[in-house]
Amino acid sequence: MQAEQIIIFVTPIFFALIGLEYWVGKRRGRNTYRLNDALSSIGLGMLSQVVGATTKLFTLGIYVWVYEHAAWLPLSSDSVWVWVSGLLLYDFLYYWHHRFGHTTALFWAAHAVHHQSEDYNLSTALRQTSSGWIAGWIFYLPMALIGFPPLVFAVVALIDLLYQYWVHTQQIGRLGWFDRVFCSPSNHRVHHAVNEPYLDKNYGGILVLWDRLFGSFQDEMDAEPCVYGTRDALRSWNPWVANTHVYRGLWRKMSSTPRWSDKLRVWWEPAHWQPGESAQVHAAFDPREVQRYDPVVPSGRLVAAVILFLALLTGTAAFLRWAHLLGLPAKILGIVGLVLGLAGVARLCSAVGARPDPALTSAARHP
């Protein structure tokens, strides 16, 4: 069974848990969902899966080639310890991939998509990039060089990804000893927050021990409620804008930079780096003064957006079910069609002339 087919089977579980989280939030008077944001996040996840099914031949192909031509000691997938050690090694490499995804502009340009939501809930977990295939595969080549079979790599990568779904919630509080060892809702809330004490912390996928070991751990503090999103706010529901937002900014910065060495540094330094700076400098930023993007639109447009979204969701499921039988032209056509469809959903959720609701201040974003 293909990985994208497994995603199809677990998707009903994803939506059931989203429904449960929404119900719990409403019962507690702490609803963390907005329809426009949830449609945007889930739509970006759909696009990520469709693009992933298309680029898998490239990303997994590189891993297979390295494994077949350069593996130091090919391991057997029949051994339990190979699977356990493979998951631990993958999670360790994921930690560094994730850390570079926040501290290096090239990787942040891809990863920023996951952080753009100004809400924090289980739909945020589905909000994934469509450009991670460009360079993210580099971090996992050590597994191929050591000799972990492609099957082991693919399965542990899926396990690591699926584990991280449940931690994207504000409805689960502190978990005691679990928070000290594993990535948990509390730890991952810190990771998604833009508050200064929380910035660039808690990168672990399954284990937060990596953060404790390498100095990137930060506990959640009652006195500092998490505020979510990115400092360079997206302010759009459009999937194309979401995936290209940071790339376009970096390209403009590079184009206006005269020195060739600085043109290259634009992509290697943190995204906020400017030519002439020798160190990382964070501009003054108060997340509580930022107004959440939430354009007010007529209910009829939202109904139309949901209908269109459900049609796209059905089409995406069919695409993923049969992706392994489709040729490259058909896959590219599927990507283009989904982008255009999701752009239509975004348009319906962003009525012309609509402005953010002044009642929805940043104070309403606090858990």
Side-chain angles (χ1 to χ4, degrees):
M1 181 178 293
Q2 305 293 317
E4 52 268 21
Q5 294 173 328
I6 296 175
I7 294 297
I8 295 174
F9 286 113
V10 299
T11 294
I13 300 175
F14 289 160
F15 281 106
L17 291 174
I18 285 174
L20 176 62
E21 183 188 30
Y22 175 75
W23 178 79
V24 169
K26 293 289 284 186
R27 286 288 299 267
R28 292 177 171 177
R30 297 178 60 237
N31 176 38
T32 59
Y33 279 91
R34 292 176 297 150
L35 179 62
N36 45 21
D37 183 86
L39 292 180
S40 175
S41 291
I42 299 171
L44 284 163
M46 291 157 51
L47 182 60
S48 175
Q49 287 298 314
V50 169
V51 171
T54 305
T55 59
K56 184 173 65 173
L57 184 63
F58 171 73
T59 55
L60 188 58
I62 292 176
Y63 185 97
V64 171
W65 188 92
V66 173
Y67 172 79
E68 291 179 346
H69 293 85
W72 297 328
L73 181 64
L75 303 172
S76 172
S77 59
D78 294 330
S79 175
V80 173
W81 79 265
V82 171
W83 288 92
V84 174
S85 60
L87 181 59
L88 287 173
L89 178 56
Y90 181 92
D91 198 56
F92 173 73
L93 297 174
Y94 174 85
Y95 167 86
W96 289 106
H97 180 194
H98 199 179
R99 185 163 180 162
F100 272 80
H102 282 255
T103 59
T104 302
L106 174 63
F107 298 106
W108 171 248
H111 184 57
V113 174
H114 182 60
H115 284 264
Q116 288 163 348
S117 173
E118 294 175 310
D119 294 337
Y120 188 77
N121 51 54
L122 292 177
S123 75
T124 309
L126 302 179
R127 187 185 186 97
Q128 298 293 329
T129 182
S130 293
S131 63
W133 60 272
I134 294 176
W137 52 269
I138 295 172
F139 290 90
Y140 305 102
L141 291 185
M143 291 189 67
L145 290 171
I146 292 172
F148 285 92
L151 175 63
V152 174
F153 167 73
V155 172
V156 299
L158 185 60
I159 292 173
D160 208 278
L161 177 65
L162 292 176
Y163 172 87
Q164 295 175 56
Y165 177 74
W166 77 282
V167 302
H168 292 80
T169 182
Q170 298 181 55
Q171 303 301 339
I172 299 176
R174 308 290 180 82
L175 297 176
W177 68 267
F178 192 90
D179 291 336
R180 295 191 290 273
V181 179
F182 295 97
C183 176
S184 66
S186 177
N187 292 333
H188 207 61
R189 285 193 291 269
V190 166
H191 175 71
H192 273 257
V194 291
N195 313 53
E196 191 66 35
Y198 298 151
L199 206 61
D200 298 334
K201 300 295 184 181
N202 298 2
Y203 301 109
I206 293 179
L207 296 175
V208 79
L209 292 176
W210 310 125
D211 292 283
R212 294 183 178 276
L213 182 61
F214 296 107
S216 55
F217 179 78
Q218 172 61 53
D219 206 357
E220 186 177 22
M221 299 178 289
D222 293 334
E224 187 74 30
C226 295
V227 178
Y228 305 105
T230 58
R231 292 193 168 190
D232 183 13
L234 181 64
R235 305 191 70 77
S236 172
W237 308 124
N238 188 293
W240 175 257
V241 175
N243 276 286
T244 61
H245 177 64
V246 179
Y247 287 107
R248 288 185 287 115
L250 293 172
W251 184 264
R252 287 194 297 269
K253 187 192 300 186
M254 185 187 74
S255 300
S256 63
T257 301
R259 296 178 56 184
W260 279 99
S261 59
D262 284 342
K263 288 181 183 292
L264 296 176
R265 287 187 66 184
V266 162
W267 299 92
W268 178 252
E269 297 287 349
H272 58 265
W273 176 82
Q274 295 293 336
E277 292 182 359
S278 58
Q280 299 184 23
V281 178
H282 292 153
F285 180 83
D286 185 352
R288 295 172 182 80
E289 294 182 356
V290 179
Q291 190 177 58
R292 183 170 57 175
Y293 179 67
D294 196 19
V296 178
V297 299
S299 58
R301 293 178 69 93
L302 292 179
V303 171
V306 170
I307 293 173
L308 176 55
F309 179 84
L310 291 175
L312 293 171
L313 180 62
T314 302
T316 300
F319 178 97
L320 296 176
R321 174 64 180 85
W322 303 106
H324 62 291
L325 300 177
L326 299 177
L328 183 59
K331 290 180 178 179
I332 293 176
L333 184 62
I335 293 172
V336 173
L338 183 56
V339 169
L340 293 176
L342 291 174
V345 174
R347 182 69 174 175
L348 289 168
C349 292
S350 308
V352 177
R355 296 182 179 179
D357 185 346
L360 293 172
T361 61
S362 59
R365 295 160 57 185
H366 294 172

